[in-house]
Amino acid sequence: MSAWHSGTSLLDGWLPLTLQIVAGVLLVLVIGWRTRRWRLVWLPVAVVVGLLAALLARWYVNANALATDPAPTALWVWIGITAAALAVAVLGWRSARWWRRLLSVPVIPMGLLCTGLVLNQWVGYFPTVQEAWSQISAGPLPDQVDAAQLSALQNKGGTMTTGRVVGVNVPDTASHFTHREEYVYLPPAWFEGAHHPRLPVLMMVGGEFNTPADWIRTGGAISTIDSYAKAHHGQAPILVFADSGGSFNNDTECVNGPRGNAADHLTKDVRPYVVSRFGASPAAADWGVVGFSMGGTCAVDLAVMHPELFGSFEDIAGDEGPIVGTKQLTIKELYGGSTAAWARFDPLTVLAHHPRYANTAGWFDNSSSGGGPGGRSGWGGNGPGGHGGNGGRQGGHQGHPHGHGGSMTRPGPVGFGGRDIPGDGMGNQTADAQKLCAAATKKGISCTLHSQPGGHTWQLASAAFSDALPWLAERVHTPTAPAHT
């Protein structure tokens, strides 16, 4: 575990296991042996309630396309246990002794807590207790300062050991997209001299359920970029942590549609604002997009749709195209039923009809674990048509595109092992990456495939960004960035 995630782990170790054991013991004590009627009538009813709750939760998640990867079985188990515990408390209240009534009070919140722990282990959102508390209590972000403090730091870049993060309220003049506060990272080099240098920019986009600060709090992006800047005399790209959702559970897939004009916000609001406010380079060759999960899909889409705005992208565990379930459901939910709108934002369709690209390149990174259908999980590394990789970050020296990020291959033939249509949610993301890279290569886009150990979590995203950063920095023409061979 890296330094920026030091503390008591919520993903493994003693705490999650202990809490689940305590919850299980409490539930057994609350249930008890009791009377014959309790054992033959009311206890089976409570079990049925728990089973129905688990099945209903699973159906709801699948029907509403809240996640396109298979959730761990433990999630449905703990949902069922929690519902059963509630039924036990209600149905058995009259027949229970006073101490069982007393124990039944904490059993339900303990069940909810264990459900949340399993959910968190699935996505890796809160790596430690300390990180969870910091986000819940809205503690300061790493390197964060107020906008008013920026001017006082001018001419001090040579003595700064880290960059600075500032919150920004980007006008939504072009998109009318309701969004939250976004963040910009400024490297030490930005503070050198009397005038700000025209630095390159990486736009950072998070996952399906997100806040603009996720890449900072959970993805470790500030630690990664600060380390890079320290090794390069304060030089590093500006990072802009954009809001692609507007709210935590609004899955826009970075397109324009009924859920908001997210694409216009990123391209017509955020990008011009960063150029104007922070003096960033406006050149497309100096801009890249980095995204995880849904954000990875966004990164590809933005780059292939707008080569005049973005010259590079990193797709970390993204899908073949913007999806919220089946193609039919995607067209309905994301585009208000417009097939033309779907085609306009589908990257394979865009690539098929676009002239040859002059100077666009991409880096695809996926999980090397698992073998079944992955959807948004990225678990399908070794399944049919998948590319298993060589165990994540093995081989090669740091920063070299053929090593530090695990295996790198040229794409195989389009269409094997993947989805016939984007948006059916039945393929795996490694195959999706191969399919996209093959189509992109035919149009002149240089792309490489990489893998990381682990599942579809922010820990994978953090490692992938760290591996790709030297390549990205060179691609967007960061001053003093070493050339790659």
Side-chain angles (χ1 to χ4, degrees):
M1 183 175 296
S2 60
W4 53 271
H5 279 162
S6 61
T8 306
S9 176
L10 289 173
L11 302 179
D12 49 32
W14 66 271
L15 183 58
L17 179 61
T18 300
L19 290 173
Q20 292 180 63
I21 291 174
V22 170
V25 170
L26 285 176
L27 180 59
V28 170
L29 291 175
V30 168
I31 292 173
W33 192 245
R34 303 197 197 186
T35 65
R36 179 180 175 84
R37 181 175 176 80
W38 166 251
R39 296 193 301 272
L40 296 180
V41 178
W42 298 118
L43 185 56
V45 169
V47 172
V48 170
V49 168
L51 180 61
L52 289 176
L55 293 175
L56 181 63
R58 184 175 181 180
W59 169 84
Y60 181 81
V61 168
N62 292 335
N64 291 275
L66 297 182
T68 56
D69 59 306
T73 302
L75 178 63
W76 314 123
V77 170
W78 276 107
I79 290 175
I81 288 174
T82 304
L86 178 60
V88 165
V90 173
L91 297 174
W93 187 264
R94 294 183 62 183
S95 63
R97 296 183 179 182
W98 67 268
W99 58 270
R100 279 205 173 99
R101 293 181 181 179
L102 186 64
L103 288 178
S104 66
V105 175
V107 165
I108 298 168
M110 282 293 293
L112 291 171
L113 178 60
C114 290
T115 301
L117 283 171
V118 173
L119 179 62
N120 183 64
Q121 288 173 325
W122 181 27
V123 301
Y125 200 77
F126 299 122
T128 66
V129 174
Q130 290 79 358
E131 290 286 332
W133 175 251
S134 177
Q135 183 145 330
I136 292 171
S137 62
L141 299 170
D143 295 352
Q144 186 172 14
V145 296
D146 293 331
Q149 296 176 267
L150 294 180
S151 59
L153 294 170
Q154 195 60 42
N155 291 315
K156 296 182 180 180
T159 61
M160 293 170 61
T161 57
T162 64
R164 296 294 185 268
V165 173
V166 60
V168 293
N169 293 306
V170 179
D172 60 0
T173 309
S175 68
H176 305 292
F177 181 70
T178 302
H179 61 88
R180 297 158 290 184
E181 184 179 36
E182 294 161 304
Y183 301 92
V184 173
Y185 166 88
L186 302 167
W190 190 82
F191 298 94
E192 293 181 2
H195 301 286
H196 302 300
R198 283 193 173 274
L199 293 175
V201 182
L202 296 178
M203 181 181 288
M204 311 292 290
V205 185
E208 179 177 349
F209 300 100
N210 73 83
T211 73
D214 286 351
W215 263 112
I216 303 175
R217 291 192 186 279
T218 313
I222 300 305
S223 174
T224 298
I225 195 68
D226 270 341
S227 295
Y228 180 89
K230 185 176 181 180
H232 294 83
H233 311 290
Q235 296 284 357
I238 294 171
L239 302 188
V240 52
F241 301 93
D243 186 5
S244 62
S247 62
F248 184 76
N249 61 345
N250 184 34
D251 180 14
T252 68
E253 299 286 315
C254 299
V255 306
N256 293 336
R259 298 182 179 183
N261 294 328
D264 283 351
H265 175 62
L266 299 177
T267 59
K268 299 179 180 180
D269 293 335
V270 174
R271 192 184 188 282
Y273 177 85
V274 173
V275 171
S276 173
R277 172 66 179 84
F278 299 103
S281 170
D286 297 343
W287 276 74
V289 192
V290 179
F292 166 54
S293 191
M294 181 271 289
T297 309
C298 297
V300 176
D301 223 12
L302 289 171
V304 301
M305 290 181 68
H306 300 286
E308 77 283 1
L309 299 180
F310 306 99
S312 307
F313 67 87
E314 182 185 12
D315 172 0
I316 305 169
D319 287 304
E320 185 181 300
I323 66 169
V324 292
T326 64
K327 179 179 178 181
Q328 181 180 8
L329 183 61
T330 296
I331 292 174
K332 176 185 176 183
E333 295 292 330
L334 283 184
Y335 306 107
S338 172
T339 303
W342 171 85
R344 188 161 66 91
F345 284 96
D346 175 60
L348 287 175
T349 304
V350 173
L351 285 166
H353 295 89
H354 199 282
R356 190 171 181 83
Y357 292 78
N359 186 28
T360 301
W363 175 299
F364 292 90
D365 219 324
N366 282 285
S367 169
S368 61
S369 305
R376 189 151 290 176
S377 72
W379 295 347
N382 297 318
H387 166 66
N390 291 324
R393 291 180 284 173
Q394 296 178 355
H397 59 81
Q398 183 171 355
H400 195 283
H402 292 271
H404 188 52
S407 66
M408 182 189 76
T409 68
R410 286 297 173 187
V414 175
F416 66 94
R419 295 174 294 193
D420 293 328
I421 55 171
D424 67 1
M426 297 303 292
N428 73 61
Q429 292 163 330
T430 301
D432 289 347
Q434 290 176 317
K435 195 171 185 178
L436 284 165
C437 191
T441 300
K442 290 181 179 180
K443 289 291 186 172
I445 296 177
S446 173
C447 61
T448 53
L449 302 172
H450 306 255
S451 63
Q452 303 289 336
H456 189 84
T457 66
W458 273 105
Q459 288 67 52
L460 179 141
S462 176
F465 176 56
S466 178
D467 286 347
L469 181 56
W471 174 82
L472 286 164
E474 190 274 332
R475 276 288 307 175
V476 297
H477 307 115
T478 304
T480 75
H484 285 260
T485 59

